[in-house]
């Protein structure tokens, strides 16, 4: 297998983007990524387009996107894995280069979610669970699924609504410093606790929003890194992936996501690192409880110690491990098909030390981790990046 580097990244402003079509939106990230890498469409062998199809009517989104961004006659491959689509696009691109099938690949994720109402976007277009056994019979929405995990974690480990609120406070703080975030305002613990209940104990301010957005990464072989004279390649050191049953009725333990534990184990092994080596991470905080459980499942702390980690402020930049210091899904936003590549965008900037002030994580080992999950945790992708 050949080594693969991220040589360029781009991301649009996330939020309500009724000012652009899906194709125009995708171009915002692709243009930035191409310029960042110093290459053009002519240098790219193939595009991998990630899109969930949350609008419910765009059945073949990759073709018009690929054509609009100037890739014709090359590409595309379309991938879909619900909220984990972004890192799946990255993985497909990685494999094309690692196996010798391509030298330069564009991975782009794009999603327009706000054109339709929330139930259509998530329950019809972007359904990530099992239609018959979850949505149809039990009416389990995403917030309701994560609420099951929150109450189990509370019962077993004494986790409180305040602990969850602290995640929202941190991620909104970083969102307020990120000009590309969906929400660029801070929130207080009191505001989170008083916000409207969605599925107790999950409230409005514990939830990621419905966002439009796009993110892209240009991947390259070692030969291409040399050819295009890339001075700060960010190497993909290891990718892990795993699956669990989507059927919540068949899950045994509601305080942990098995798929994330297995995916992390695989990624750490391939990268030859330990969880403690990770200095900056973007984890899948679709709901605040998910970030707390991710601290534990990714091995940043022992099981049950996630609440303590956030309570001690150890996941701010300068703490034990900087987590979601771009605002995370909670504040930066969660345009499903783009989200994982939006993490790669942020972590590449972090590893290249292109952020400033409180937005830059202090680095010694230059190791970052992205964690992207589908549905109520049945699929998990973990990517380790290294400069
Ligand atoms: C593995 C996974 O990733 S699963 C996760 C997949 N994604 C999700 O499940 C999305 C979860 N979020 C949601 O479903 C929705 O955002 C909800 C249910 C929390 C809120 O949706 P709605 O009730 O339709 O809220 P609506 O869109 O009407 O917005 C009302 C107000 O709240 C704000 N708002 C909406 N969502 C959020 C949020 N998550 N955080 C903060 N503010 C929000 C809006 O900006 C709006 O503010 P305004 O009145 O000042 O304009």
């Amino acid at each position: 297998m050949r080594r693969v580097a991220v040589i360029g990244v781009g991301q649009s402003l996330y939020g309500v983007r009724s000012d652009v079509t899906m194709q125009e939106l995708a171009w915002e990230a692709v243009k930035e990524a191409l310029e960042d890498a110093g290459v053009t469409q002519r240098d790219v062998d193939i595009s991998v387009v990630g899109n969930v199809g949350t609008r419910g009517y765009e059945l073949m989104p990759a073709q018009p996107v690929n054509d609009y961004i100037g890739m014709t006659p090359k590409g595309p491959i379309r991938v879909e894995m619900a909220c984990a689509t972004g890192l799946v696009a990255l993985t497909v691109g990685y494999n094309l280069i690692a196996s010798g099938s391509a030298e330069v690949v564009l991975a782009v994720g794009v999603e327009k979610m706000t054109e339709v109402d929330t139930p259509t976007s998530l329950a019809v277009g972007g359904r990530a669970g099992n239609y018959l056994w979850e949505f149809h019979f039990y009416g389990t929405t995403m917030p309701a699924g994560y609420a099951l995990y929150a109450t189990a974690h509370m019962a077993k480990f004494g986790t409180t609504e305040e602990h969850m609120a602290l995640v929202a406070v941190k991620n909104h703080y970083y969102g307020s410093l990120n000009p590309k975030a969906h929400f660029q305002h801070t929130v207080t613990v009191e505001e989170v606790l008083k916000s409207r209940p969605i599925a107790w104990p999950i409230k409005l301010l514990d939830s990621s929003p419905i966002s439009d957005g796009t993110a892209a990464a240009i991947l390259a072989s070692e030969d291409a890194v040399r050819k295009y004279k890339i001075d700060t390649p960010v190497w993909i050191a290891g990718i892990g992936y795993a699956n669990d049953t989507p059927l919540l009725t068949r899950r045994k333990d509601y305080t942990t996501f098995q798929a994330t534990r297995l995916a992390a184990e695989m990624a750490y092994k391939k990268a030859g690192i330990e969880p403690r080596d990770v200095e900056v991470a973007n984890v899948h905080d679709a709901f605040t409880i998910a970030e707390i459980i991710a601290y534990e499942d990714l091995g940043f702390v022992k099981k049950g110690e996630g609440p303590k980690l956030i309570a001690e402020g150890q996941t701010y930049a300068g703490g034990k491990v900087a987590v979601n210091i771009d605002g995370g899904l909670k504040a930066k936003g969660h345009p499903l098909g783009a989200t994982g590549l939006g993490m790669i965008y942020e972590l590449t900037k972090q590893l290249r030390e292109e952020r400033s002030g409180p937005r830059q994580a202090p680095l010694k080992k230059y190791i970052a981790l992205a964690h992207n999950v589908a549905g109520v945790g049945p699929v998990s992708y973990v990517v380790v990046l290294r400069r």
Side-chain angles (χ1 to χ4, degrees):
M1 295 291 268
R2 306 191 305 162
R3 293 174 81 203
V4 181
V6 179
I7 62 165
V9 284
Q11 192 212 296
S12 72
L13 167 70
Y14 285 1
V16 180
R17 295 299 311 273
S18 40
D19 56 316
V20 279
T21 64
M22 186 174 65
Q23 292 91 305
E24 290 167 340
L25 185 59
W27 174 238
E28 290 183 18
V30 173
K31 181 172 185 288
E32 187 186 343
L34 290 169
E35 287 172 0
D36 187 36
V39 299
T40 71
Q41 293 92 332
R42 276 193 301 278
D43 305 311
V44 179
D45 297 319
I46 189 165
S47 75
V48 185
V49 180
N51 178 268
V52 176
T54 45
R55 296 188 292 183
Y57 62 81
E58 188 84 61
L59 299 180
M60 290 186 280
Q63 197 283 326
V65 166
N66 188 66
D67 185 52
Y68 188 86
I69 63 176
M71 280 296 294
T72 300
K74 293 178 279 188
I77 295 175
R78 188 246 176 130
V79 300
E80 181 284 311
M81 185 42 71
C83 312
T85 295
L87 286 194
V88 176
L90 184 92
T91 303
V92 171
Y94 171 89
N95 285 336
L96 284 165
I97 295 172
S99 64
S101 295
E103 296 299 322
V104 181
V105 175
L106 161 69
V108 54
V110 62
E111 206 72 46
K112 287 273 271 175
M113 302 181 74
T114 66
E115 275 175 35
V116 292
D117 60 20
T118 300
T120 307
S121 162
L122 285 169
V124 181
R127 195 174 56 237
N130 184 286
Y131 177 76
L132 194 61
W133 291 104
E134 288 179 314
F135 182 69
H136 183 70
F137 284 158
Y138 300 116
T140 322
T141 59
M142 292 298 158
Y146 279 89
L148 295 173
Y149 278 79
T151 49
H153 211 274
M154 288 164 114
K156 191 162 177 188
F157 300 115
T159 309
T160 63
E161 289 178 78
E162 283 80 359
H163 287 128
M164 291 159 55
L166 286 170
V167 172
V169 169
K170 171 177 69 69
N171 294 355
H172 268 268
Y173 163 68
Y174 285 113
S176 77
L177 303 175
N178 183 352
K180 290 188 172 181
H182 186 154
F183 295 126
Q184 298 178 23
H185 61 85
T186 56
V187 298
T188 63
V189 168
E190 293 68 34
E191 283 168 333
V192 181
L193 295 177
K194 280 192 193 140
S195 65
R196 164 162 63 93
I198 302 294
W200 189 87
I202 287 168
K203 297 168 283 296
L204 181 74
L205 292 178
D206 288 299
S207 311
S208 58
I210 304 289
S211 315
D212 303 326
T214 181
I218 311 282
L219 312 180
S221 67
E222 238 174 324
D223 287 345
V225 166
R226 274 192 292 275
K227 178 175 173 189
Y228 297 109
K229 299 185 173 52
I230 307 296
D231 51 11
T232 45
V234 166
W235 298 99
I236 299 176
I239 303 183
Y241 31 82
N243 190 50
D244 193 358
T245 173
L247 297 184
L248 297 177
T249 45
R250 285 172 53 195
R251 301 254 179 106
K252 305 248 176 331
D253 183 349
Y254 281 80
T255 66
T256 177
F257 291 103
Q258 175 176 263
T260 290
R261 290 203 321 275
L262 295 174
E265 204 180 303
M266 189 191 289
Y268 290 140
K269 195 170 168 202
K270 286 187 188 166
I273 65 159
E274 299 287 330
R276 65 169 176 273
D277 295 323
V278 176
E279 295 173 303
V280 56
N282 270 67
V283 310
H284 200 95
D285 59 324
F287 300 94
T288 50
I289 187 63
E291 178 166 321
I292 291 174
I293 294 178
Y295 297 159
E296 301 170 358
D297 289 342
L298 294 168
F300 298 159
V301 286
K302 292 199 193 91
K303 195 71 215 146
E305 290 181 1
K308 190 164 162 258
L309 194 70
I310 182 68
E312 290 176 349
Q314 291 290 350
T315 47
Y316 281 80
K320 186 175 177 189
V321 50
V323 177
N324 290 336
I325 60 171
D326 58 353
L329 280 61
K330 171 68 206 81
K332 183 166 99 167
H334 186 17
L336 310 190
T339 295
L341 286 163
M343 296 175 175
I344 298 300
Y345 170 80
E346 177 61 22
L347 295 172
T348 300
K349 298 268 178 193
Q350 289 288 338
L351 291 177
R352 299 196 307 211
E353 295 181 304
E354 288 175 5
R355 300 300 189 202
S356 57
R359 279 274 280 116
Q360 176 63 50
L363 303 170
K364 285 193 186 117
K365 298 177 180 172
Y366 294 87
I367 295 176
L369 177 145
H371 163 243
N372 200 192
V373 170
V376 189
V379 174
S380 186
Y381 272 69
V382 173
V383 173
V384 175
L385 298 175
R386 190 168 212 165
R387 189 173 138 185

